[in-house]
Amino acid sequence: MGPPTVGAAGRLSEFATGQWGAHLIGGWTADGWIELPRRLGGRIAPLVGAHADEVTVCDSTSVNLFKLLHAACDLRPDRTVIVAAADDFPTDRYLVDAVAAQRGRAVRRIDPLQVAVADLADAAALVCSHVHFRTGRLHDMRALTATAHAAGALALWDVAHSVGAVPLEFDGCGVDLAVGCTYKFLNGGPGAPSFAYVARYLHGDLASPIAGWLGHAEPFAFAPAYRPAPGVARLVAGTPDVASLIALDTALDAFDGVDLAAARAKAIALGDLFMTLVAEHLGDAFSLVSPSDAAVRGNQVSLGHPDAYPIVQALIARGVVGDFREPDVLRFGFAPLYVRYVDVFDAVAALAEVMGTDEWREPGFGIRRPVT
Ligand SMILES: *Cc1c(COP(=O)(O)O)cnc(C)c1O
């Protein structure tokens, strides 16, 4: 989770008093709340290589994945299978299974590094995370999207761990559908809404399985029947989460004028430095779970250790906030906008002390918390 940006507290406080408190329901128009899903979609678009009208911000990543998986089934009515990356993030796996069952499709799990056109011959969609949440493995969006298209399938990408971290080119790669998370490298705050991308050429045919009133062409006509809004606007099902959208709006200010290629180059240098220092100071105490080759690694480095959980807790107590992922992974994110080289030196020094002094064995660090 990214930290709050400098402006976040002030903007949220001003929202509570100057907008919500002052205008009540009038804020939807006076303060532009109703425009936030569309406007923030337009702000995220340049970060993912999309047109402004191809992105909207609403709901959670899980809910958007649900909507776009259903939409993919509608767009490929004759296809009998959903093909999905094996060992993907749990919500992606669960939702692929759930939507496949709801739509009478089979699920085929594949290794994204091995998948061929033949594996997708009967597929409605190929569903894959761009950067693997545990290993940090970065997949080739352009090549896999082309493979899906060669088989007549749609490519549905989850870019939760790449947006704001790795430059993306949805339009350039021909991506059909995508979802992403805004509380990781985009710093939108806990529970900040997700975004959904739909390529322009699908806008006319896209059907949302959640036909809510705020995705209606004229919500305030209070018409008896549903008629979808144009394009991605129909994905907004119900009332947007305004406070979270305002925090995200503030967070996106930090990306204004940022050269994402330069930021990515710094993140790679931070990750490479981290791996070099870990090898130097900790020898072979940890295994390297992430690819050492930065070309196929996102902005994270994951280390393996049988006691990963208490080690992560001991590091957090020292202010080095990584996370633990089952079964034995310590995960470190290198967000180039605010992580400095000195932080990498300090983090490895802290890790060396935690290991050298057996500090991680203190009983409190072994207590499992609800969120790891
Ligand atoms: C973080 C993450 C999500 C988050 O889903 P939510 O619905 O926002 O909880 C989804 N997919 C991947 C790959 C993630 O890393």
Side-chain angles (χ1 to χ4, degrees), residues 60-63 65 88-89 91-92 129 131 133 158 160-161 181 183-184 192 194 331:
S60 63
T61 305
S62 303
V63 173
L65 198 57
D88 208 339
F89 187 76
T91 211
D92 301 63
S129 286
V131 172
F133 75 103
D158 184 337
H161 286 278
C181 176
Y183 52 78
K184 290 169 181 151
S194 151
R331 188 172 69 167

Side-chain angles (χ1 to χ4, degrees), residues 334-371:
F334 298 92
L337 267 52
Y338 58 87
V339 174
R340 304 163 300 171
Y341 293 95
V342 66
D343 297 322
V344 176
F345 284 95
D346 291 348
V348 177
L351 184 58
E353 280 189 41
V354 160
M355 301 309 291
T357 62
D358 275 354
E359 188 173 303
W360 62 271
R361 291 185 195 271
E362 285 174 26
F365 294 138
I367 299 168
R368 285 294 174 108
R369 296 166 198 276
V371 176

Side-chain angles (χ1 to χ4, degrees), residues 4-21:
T5 42
V6 173
R11 273 291 292 284
L12 286 169
S13 160
E14 202 280 320
F15 157 71
T17 53
Q19 297 189 2
W20 178 18

Side-chain angles (χ1 to χ4, degrees), residues 168-186:
L168 294 165
E169 288 182 76
F170 285 172
D171 287 343
C173 293
V175 170
D176 304 286
L177 305 163
V179 296
C181 176
T182 65
Y183 52 78
K184 290 169 181 151
F185 288 100
L186 292 184

